Amino acid sequence: MMGRIACANVLSDLYAMGITECDNMLMLLSVSQSMTEEEREKITPLMIKGFRDAAEEGGTAVTGGQTVVNPWIIVGGVATVVCQPNEFIMPDSAVVGDVLVLTKPLGTQVAVNAHQWLDNPERWNKIKMVVSREEVELAYQEAMFNMATLNRTAAGLMHTFNAHAATDITGFGILGHSQNLAKQQRNEVSFVIHNLPIIAKMAAISKASGRFGLLQGTSAETSGGLLICLPREQAARFCSEIKSSKYGEGHQAWIVGIVEKGNRTARIIDKPRVIEVLPRGATATALVPENSSASSEPSS
């Protein structure tokens, strides 16, 4: 999974520009000096396999790279393509009235940390009032599934629905990447985010733990979705199209905000609407308290 997620993350930078084809990938791998020889021999080939499998799913291949020894396990890489101007969408053409669409739920950092805390009583005690062990396990599985999903389908649909700009949501969180994207715009616009689709229960964990800043948009994501500026009349159609079974299982999208006149900034409103995204495999009743607005169906 780590290999797959790393590969999906590397390819995302191409997908964020509406590019669906990749010519070549390099894999950068570091094995940890604290691993035993047996661990190295078992774990390293699996990481390489995951990376290669995801590359193959993206219609590309790993042709080289570098392997080093480090204090930590690291996996990453480079994705390269040579293409025509009509094959990519420069991330600089948002206009007033556009709608912001997000293609994966937020909360991967919270889900992965909460899963580690299952074995850390001190940390677990801080959040056990708001979440069950089963909910953490389900959220972790959902986060892994989402992180390992390529943004390739979304990249293709950016052309179909005339996207004006996009970025992938990774280490700076949704707010940081929205701000970076806003700065690149040729028009005098600003982004306002009203809705936060979040893996179920992760918002409550973020609040209870006093960490992450998930509701402030600063929680880091790994291999997150694309945040896309679409013409208003196209956004709902993009969201329903990406869910079509012809693209396989698991693609989702939500309308999360708007583009208004402004000075190239981005902000989240004071009380954003949290859309609780139910993990696949969760029964709706197990996770949803009465009167809560949870939806396994992505809302648009």
Short mmCIF file of all heavy atoms in Angstrom, two decimals, residues 5-56:
data_model
loop_
_atom_site.label_atom_id
_atom_site.label_comp_id
_atom_site.label_asym_id
_atom_site.label_seq_id
_atom_site.Cartn_x
_atom_site.Cartn_y
_atom_site.Cartn_z
N ILE A 5 0.47 4.09 -2.79
CA ILE A 5 0.12 5.47 -2.39
C ILE A 5 1.19 6.45 -2.88
O ILE A 5 0.87 7.52 -3.41
CB ILE A 5 -0.07 5.55 -0.86
CG1 ILE A 5 -1.33 4.78 -0.44
CG2 ILE A 5 -0.13 7.00 -0.39
CD1 ILE A 5 -1.43 4.47 1.05
N ALA A 6 2.45 6.06 -2.73
CA ALA A 6 3.55 6.94 -3.18
C ALA A 6 3.44 7.20 -4.68
O ALA A 6 3.59 8.33 -5.14
CB ALA A 6 4.90 6.31 -2.84
N CYS A 7 3.16 6.16 -5.44
CA CYS A 7 3.05 6.30 -6.89
C CYS A 7 1.87 7.18 -7.28
O CYS A 7 1.98 8.07 -8.13
CB CYS A 7 2.92 4.92 -7.54
SG CYS A 7 2.95 4.98 -9.34
N ALA A 8 0.72 6.96 -6.62
CA ALA A 8 -0.47 7.78 -6.89
C ALA A 8 -0.17 9.25 -6.59
O ALA A 8 -0.57 10.15 -7.33
CB ALA A 8 -1.65 7.30 -6.04
N ASN A 9 0.58 9.47 -5.52
CA ASN A 9 0.94 10.83 -5.09
C ASN A 9 1.85 11.51 -6.13
O ASN A 9 1.68 12.69 -6.45
CB ASN A 9 1.64 10.73 -3.74
CG ASN A 9 1.61 12.03 -2.96
OD1 ASN A 9 0.65 12.78 -3.03
ND2 ASN A 9 2.67 12.31 -2.24
N VAL A 10 2.80 10.76 -6.66
CA VAL A 10 3.72 11.29 -7.67
C VAL A 10 2.94 11.65 -8.95
O VAL A 10 3.13 12.73 -9.52
CB VAL A 10 4.83 10.26 -7.99
CG1 VAL A 10 5.64 10.69 -9.21
CG2 VAL A 10 5.76 10.10 -6.78
N LEU A 11 2.06 10.76 -9.37
CA LEU A 11 1.31 11.00 -10.61
C LEU A 11 0.33 12.17 -10.49
O LEU A 11 -0.02 12.81 -11.48
CB LEU A 11 0.56 9.73 -11.01
CG LEU A 11 1.42 8.61 -11.62
CD1 LEU A 11 0.64 7.30 -11.65
CD2 LEU A 11 1.90 8.98 -13.01
N SER A 12 -0.11 12.45 -9.27
CA SER A 12 -1.11 13.50 -9.04
C SER A 12 -0.71 14.86 -9.60
O SER A 12 -1.57 15.63 -10.02
CB SER A 12 -1.41 13.65 -7.55
OG SER A 12 -2.65 13.05 -7.26
N ASP A 13 0.58 15.16 -9.61
CA ASP A 13 1.01 16.47 -10.10
C ASP A 13 0.73 16.61 -11.60
O ASP A 13 0.42 17.70 -12.08
CB ASP A 13 2.49 16.70 -9.80
CG ASP A 13 2.74 16.84 -8.31
OD1 ASP A 13 2.01 17.61 -7.68
OD2 ASP A 13 3.63 16.16 -7.78
N LEU A 14 0.82 15.50 -12.33
CA LEU A 14 0.43 15.52 -13.75
C LEU A 14 -1.09 15.63 -13.86
O LEU A 14 -1.62 16.44 -14.63
CB LEU A 14 0.90 14.26 -14.47
CG LEU A 14 2.40 14.02 -14.63
CD1 LEU A 14 2.64 12.75 -15.45
CD2 LEU A 14 3.08 15.20 -15.30
N TYR A 15 -1.79 14.81 -13.09
CA TYR A 15 -3.26 14.78 -13.17
C TYR A 15 -3.87 16.14 -12.83
O TYR A 15 -4.90 16.51 -13.38
CB TYR A 15 -3.82 13.69 -12.25
CG TYR A 15 -3.38 12.28 -12.62
CD1 TYR A 15 -3.23 11.30 -11.63
CD2 TYR A 15 -3.13 11.93 -13.95
CE1 TYR A 15 -2.84 10.01 -11.97
CE2 TYR A 15 -2.73 10.64 -14.29
CZ TYR A 15 -2.59 9.68 -13.29
OH TYR A 15 -2.20 8.41 -13.62
N ALA A 16 -3.22 16.88 -11.93
CA ALA A 16 -3.74 18.19 -11.54
C ALA A 16 -3.71 19.18 -12.70
O ALA A 16 -4.39 20.20 -12.67
CB ALA A 16 -2.95 18.76 -10.36
N MET A 17 -2.92 18.87 -13.73
CA MET A 17 -2.89 19.73 -14.91
C MET A 17 -3.71 19.11 -16.06
O MET A 17 -3.58 19.50 -17.22
CB MET A 17 -1.46 20.00 -15.36
CG MET A 17 -0.72 20.89 -14.36
SD MET A 17 0.91 21.40 -14.89
CE MET A 17 0.50 22.56 -16.19
N GLY A 18 -4.57 18.16 -15.70
CA GLY A 18 -5.44 17.57 -16.70
C GLY A 18 -4.73 16.60 -17.63
O GLY A 18 -5.27 16.20 -18.66
N ILE A 19 -3.52 16.21 -17.26
CA ILE A 19 -2.75 15.27 -18.09
C ILE A 19 -3.10 13.85 -17.65
O ILE A 19 -3.03 13.53 -16.46
CB ILE A 19 -1.24 15.54 -17.92
CG1 ILE A 19 -0.88 16.89 -18.53
CG2 ILE A 19 -0.41 14.41 -18.54
CD1 ILE A 19 0.48 17.40 -18.13
N THR A 20 -3.49 13.01 -18.60
CA THR A 20 -3.89 11.65 -18.23
C THR A 20 -2.85 10.60 -18.60
O THR A 20 -2.93 9.46 -18.15
CB THR A 20 -5.22 11.27 -18.92
OG1 THR A 20 -5.06 11.43 -20.33
CG2 THR A 20 -6.36 12.14 -18.43
N GLU A 21 -1.87 10.99 -19.43
CA GLU A 21 -0.85 10.03 -19.85
C GLU A 21 0.50 10.41 -19.24
O GLU A 21 0.84 11.59 -19.16
CB GLU A 21 -0.71 10.01 -21.38
CG GLU A 21 -2.02 9.69 -22.11
CD GLU A 21 -2.67 8.39 -21.65
OE1 GLU A 21 -1.93 7.41 -21.45
OE2 GLU A 21 -3.90 8.38 -21.47
N CYS A 22 1.24 9.40 -18.82
CA CYS A 22 2.59 9.62 -18.29
C CYS A 22 3.56 8.78 -19.12
O CYS A 22 3.32 7.59 -19.33
CB CYS A 22 2.65 9.22 -16.82
SG CYS A 22 4.31 9.19 -16.14
N ASP A 23 4.65 9.38 -19.60
CA ASP A 23 5.60 8.65 -20.45
C ASP A 23 6.55 7.78 -19.65
O ASP A 23 6.94 6.71 -20.09
CB ASP A 23 6.46 9.64 -21.27
CG ASP A 23 5.64 10.38 -22.32
OD1 ASP A 23 4.55 9.88 -22.67
OD2 ASP A 23 6.07 11.45 -22.76
N ASN A 24 6.96 8.28 -18.49
CA ASN A 24 8.05 7.60 -17.78
C ASN A 24 8.01 7.92 -16.29
O ASN A 24 7.70 9.04 -15.90
CB ASN A 24 9.39 8.08 -18.37
CG ASN A 24 10.55 7.34 -17.76
OD1 ASN A 24 10.49 6.13 -17.55
ND2 ASN A 24 11.61 8.07 -17.45
N MET A 25 8.36 6.92 -15.47
CA MET A 25 8.46 7.15 -14.03
C MET A 25 9.81 6.66 -13.51
O MET A 25 10.35 5.67 -13.99
CB MET A 25 7.35 6.43 -13.27
CG MET A 25 5.97 7.02 -13.51
SD MET A 25 4.77 6.42 -12.30
CE MET A 25 5.12 7.53 -10.93
N LEU A 26 10.32 7.37 -12.53
CA LEU A 26 11.48 6.92 -11.76
C LEU A 26 11.02 6.69 -10.34
O LEU A 26 10.15 7.40 -9.84
CB LEU A 26 12.58 7.99 -11.76
CG LEU A 26 13.08 8.46 -13.13
CD1 LEU A 26 14.13 9.56 -12.95
CD2 LEU A 26 13.66 7.30 -13.92
N MET A 27 11.58 5.67 -9.69
CA MET A 27 11.23 5.39 -8.30
C MET A 27 12.42 5.72 -7.41
O MET A 27 13.54 5.29 -7.69
CB MET A 27 10.84 3.91 -8.15
CG MET A 27 10.48 3.56 -6.73
SD MET A 27 9.77 1.92 -6.49
CE MET A 27 10.11 1.05 -7.98
N LEU A 28 12.15 6.49 -6.37
CA LEU A 28 13.18 6.81 -5.38
C LEU A 28 12.85 6.05 -4.11
O LEU A 28 11.76 6.21 -3.56
CB LEU A 28 13.19 8.32 -5.11
CG LEU A 28 13.35 9.18 -6.36
CD1 LEU A 28 13.17 10.65 -6.04
CD2 LEU A 28 14.70 8.94 -7.02
N LEU A 29 13.78 5.22 -3.69
CA LEU A 29 13.50 4.31 -2.58
C LEU A 29 14.61 4.40 -1.55
O LEU A 29 15.79 4.43 -1.91
CB LEU A 29 13.42 2.88 -3.15
CG LEU A 29 12.96 1.75 -2.26
CD1 LEU A 29 11.51 1.95 -1.84
CD2 LEU A 29 13.11 0.42 -3.00
N SER A 30 14.23 4.49 -0.29
CA SER A 30 15.27 4.34 0.74
C SER A 30 14.83 3.27 1.73
O SER A 30 13.68 3.26 2.17
CB SER A 30 15.55 5.67 1.44
OG SER A 30 14.78 5.80 2.60
N VAL A 31 15.75 2.35 1.99
CA VAL A 31 15.48 1.33 3.02
C VAL A 31 16.14 1.80 4.31
O VAL A 31 17.13 2.53 4.28
CB VAL A 31 15.99 -0.07 2.60
CG1 VAL A 31 15.18 -0.60 1.44
CG2 VAL A 31 17.46 -0.03 2.25
N SER A 32 15.56 1.40 5.42
CA SER A 32 16.05 1.88 6.71
C SER A 32 17.20 1.03 7.22
O SER A 32 17.16 -0.20 7.16
CB SER A 32 14.91 1.85 7.73
OG SER A 32 15.42 2.04 9.02
N GLN A 33 18.22 1.71 7.74
CA GLN A 33 19.38 0.99 8.27
C GLN A 33 19.01 0.21 9.54
O GLN A 33 19.75 -0.67 9.97
CB GLN A 33 20.53 1.97 8.55
CG GLN A 33 20.21 3.04 9.56
CD GLN A 33 21.02 4.32 9.34
OE1 GLN A 33 21.45 4.61 8.24
NE2 GLN A 33 21.24 5.07 10.41
N SER A 34 17.85 0.53 10.14
CA SER A 34 17.47 -0.21 11.34
C SER A 34 16.66 -1.47 11.03
O SER A 34 16.27 -2.20 11.93
CB SER A 34 16.68 0.70 12.30
OG SER A 34 15.51 1.16 11.68
N MET A 35 16.40 -1.73 9.75
CA MET A 35 15.67 -2.95 9.37
C MET A 35 16.63 -4.14 9.40
O MET A 35 17.79 -4.00 9.05
CB MET A 35 15.09 -2.81 7.95
CG MET A 35 13.95 -1.83 7.83
SD MET A 35 13.63 -1.40 6.10
CE MET A 35 12.52 -2.70 5.62
N THR A 36 16.11 -5.29 9.79
CA THR A 36 16.91 -6.50 9.71
C THR A 36 17.00 -6.93 8.24
O THR A 36 16.22 -6.46 7.40
CB THR A 36 16.27 -7.66 10.50
OG1 THR A 36 15.01 -7.98 9.87
CG2 THR A 36 16.01 -7.28 11.95
N GLU A 37 17.90 -7.83 7.95
CA GLU A 37 18.04 -8.30 6.58
C GLU A 37 16.75 -8.96 6.11
O GLU A 37 16.32 -8.76 4.97
CB GLU A 37 19.21 -9.30 6.49
CG GLU A 37 19.65 -9.55 5.06
CD GLU A 37 20.91 -10.41 5.00
OE1 GLU A 37 21.67 -10.45 5.99
OE2 GLU A 37 21.10 -11.04 3.95
N GLU A 38 16.11 -9.71 7.02
CA GLU A 38 14.86 -10.39 6.66
C GLU A 38 13.77 -9.36 6.34
O GLU A 38 13.04 -9.50 5.35
CB GLU A 38 14.39 -11.30 7.80
CG GLU A 38 13.18 -12.14 7.40
CD GLU A 38 12.54 -12.88 8.57
OE1 GLU A 38 12.88 -12.59 9.73
OE2 GLU A 38 11.68 -13.73 8.29
N GLU A 39 13.69 -8.31 7.16
CA GLU A 39 12.69 -7.26 6.91
C GLU A 39 12.95 -6.61 5.55
O GLU A 39 12.02 -6.38 4.77
CB GLU A 39 12.75 -6.19 8.01
CG GLU A 39 12.09 -6.64 9.31
CD GLU A 39 12.34 -5.68 10.46
OE1 GLU A 39 13.35 -4.93 10.44
OE2 GLU A 39 11.53 -5.70 11.41
N ARG A 40 14.23 -6.32 5.29
CA ARG A 40 14.58 -5.69 4.00
C ARG A 40 14.14 -6.56 2.84
O ARG A 40 13.56 -6.09 1.86
CB ARG A 40 16.09 -5.46 3.92
CG ARG A 40 16.51 -4.09 4.41
CD ARG A 40 17.70 -3.55 3.63
NE ARG A 40 18.86 -4.43 3.64
CZ ARG A 40 19.80 -4.42 4.58
NH1 ARG A 40 19.73 -3.57 5.58
NH2 ARG A 40 20.82 -5.24 4.53
N GLU A 41 14.43 -7.87 2.96
CA GLU A 41 14.13 -8.77 1.84
C GLU A 41 12.63 -8.98 1.63
O GLU A 41 12.19 -9.25 0.53
CB GLU A 41 14.83 -10.12 2.06
CG GLU A 41 16.33 -10.03 1.76
CD GLU A 41 17.07 -11.32 2.10
OE1 GLU A 41 16.40 -12.30 2.50
OE2 GLU A 41 18.31 -11.33 1.96
N LYS A 42 11.86 -8.86 2.72
CA LYS A 42 10.41 -9.08 2.59
C LYS A 42 9.67 -7.80 2.20
O LYS A 42 8.78 -7.80 1.35
CB LYS A 42 9.85 -9.56 3.94
CG LYS A 42 10.20 -11.01 4.26
CD LYS A 42 8.99 -11.75 4.81
CE LYS A 42 9.21 -13.26 4.77
NZ LYS A 42 9.85 -13.76 5.99
N ILE A 43 10.04 -6.69 2.85
CA ILE A 43 9.28 -5.44 2.72
C ILE A 43 9.61 -4.68 1.44
O ILE A 43 8.72 -4.21 0.74
CB ILE A 43 9.52 -4.54 3.96
CG1 ILE A 43 8.90 -5.21 5.20
CG2 ILE A 43 8.96 -3.14 3.76
CD1 ILE A 43 9.34 -4.63 6.51
N THR A 44 10.90 -4.61 1.11
CA THR A 44 11.30 -3.80 -0.05
C THR A 44 10.65 -4.26 -1.36
O THR A 44 10.10 -3.43 -2.09
CB THR A 44 12.84 -3.75 -0.16
OG1 THR A 44 13.38 -3.46 1.14
CG2 THR A 44 13.29 -2.68 -1.13
N PRO A 45 10.64 -5.57 -1.67
CA PRO A 45 10.00 -5.99 -2.92
C PRO A 45 8.50 -5.65 -2.95
O PRO A 45 7.96 -5.36 -4.01
CB PRO A 45 10.20 -7.51 -2.94
CG PRO A 45 11.35 -7.76 -2.03
CD PRO A 45 11.29 -6.70 -0.98
N LEU A 46 7.85 -5.68 -1.78
CA LEU A 46 6.41 -5.36 -1.74
C LEU A 46 6.18 -3.88 -2.02
O LEU A 46 5.22 -3.50 -2.71
CB LEU A 46 5.82 -5.72 -0.37
CG LEU A 46 5.63 -7.22 -0.11
CD1 LEU A 46 5.23 -7.47 1.34
CD2 LEU A 46 4.57 -7.80 -1.05
N MET A 47 7.06 -3.02 -1.49
CA MET A 47 6.94 -1.59 -1.77
C MET A 47 7.13 -1.32 -3.26
O MET A 47 6.40 -0.56 -3.88
CB MET A 47 7.96 -0.79 -0.95
CG MET A 47 7.58 -0.68 0.51
SD MET A 47 8.90 0.01 1.52
CE MET A 47 8.97 1.67 0.92
N ILE A 48 8.13 -1.99 -3.84
CA ILE A 48 8.41 -1.82 -5.27
C ILE A 48 7.21 -2.31 -6.09
O ILE A 48 6.78 -1.66 -7.05
CB ILE A 48 9.71 -2.56 -5.66
CG1 ILE A 48 10.91 -1.89 -4.99
CG2 ILE A 48 9.88 -2.62 -7.18
CD1 ILE A 48 12.22 -2.68 -5.09
N LYS A 49 6.66 -3.45 -5.68
CA LYS A 49 5.52 -4.02 -6.41
C LYS A 49 4.32 -3.07 -6.37
O LYS A 49 3.65 -2.84 -7.39
CB LYS A 49 5.13 -5.38 -5.81
CG LYS A 49 3.97 -6.05 -6.55
CD LYS A 49 3.61 -7.40 -5.93
CE LYS A 49 2.49 -8.14 -6.61
NZ LYS A 49 1.53 -7.39 -7.39
N GLY A 50 4.03 -2.51 -5.21
CA GLY A 50 2.90 -1.58 -5.08
C GLY A 50 3.08 -0.37 -5.99
O GLY A 50 2.14 0.07 -6.67
N PHE A 51 4.31 0.16 -6.02
CA PHE A 51 4.61 1.33 -6.85
C PHE A 51 4.43 0.96 -8.33
O PHE A 51 3.78 1.68 -9.09
CB PHE A 51 6.04 1.79 -6.58
CG PHE A 51 6.34 3.19 -7.06
CD1 PHE A 51 6.34 4.25 -6.17
CD2 PHE A 51 6.66 3.45 -8.39
CE1 PHE A 51 6.64 5.54 -6.60
CE2 PHE A 51 6.96 4.73 -8.83
CZ PHE A 51 6.94 5.79 -7.92
N ARG A 52 4.99 -0.18 -8.71
CA ARG A 52 4.91 -0.63 -10.11
C ARG A 52 3.46 -0.90 -10.53
O ARG A 52 3.06 -0.57 -11.64
CB ARG A 52 5.72 -1.92 -10.30
CG ARG A 52 7.21 -1.66 -10.34
CD ARG A 52 7.89 -2.67 -11.28
NE ARG A 52 9.26 -2.25 -11.55
CZ ARG A 52 10.34 -2.95 -11.19
NH1 ARG A 52 10.20 -4.10 -10.57
NH2 ARG A 52 11.54 -2.49 -11.48
N ASP A 53 2.69 -1.53 -9.63
CA ASP A 53 1.29 -1.85 -9.95
C ASP A 53 0.49 -0.58 -10.20
O ASP A 53 -0.33 -0.51 -11.13
CB ASP A 53 0.64 -2.66 -8.82
CG ASP A 53 1.14 -4.11 -8.79
OD1 ASP A 53 1.86 -4.51 -9.73
OD2 ASP A 53 0.83 -4.83 -7.82
N ALA A 54 0.70 0.43 -9.35
CA ALA A 54 -0.03 1.69 -9.53
C ALA A 54 0.40 2.39 -10.82
O ALA A 54 -0.42 2.97 -11.52
CB ALA A 54 0.18 2.60 -8.32
N ALA A 55 1.70 2.30 -11.14
CA ALA A 55 2.20 2.89 -12.39
C ALA A 55 1.51 2.22 -13.58
O ALA A 55 1.07 2.89 -14.52
CB ALA A 55 3.71 2.73 -12.48
N GLU A 56 1.41 0.90 -13.51
CA GLU A 56 0.77 0.15 -14.59
C GLU A 56 -0.70 0.55 -14.73
O GLU A 56 -1.22 0.72 -15.84
CB GLU A 56 0.87 -1.36 -14.30
CG GLU A 56 0.48 -2.23 -15.47
CD GLU A 56 0.65 -3.72 -15.16
OE1 GLU A 56 1.64 -4.10 -14.50
OE2 GLU A 56 -0.23 -4.49 -15.58
#
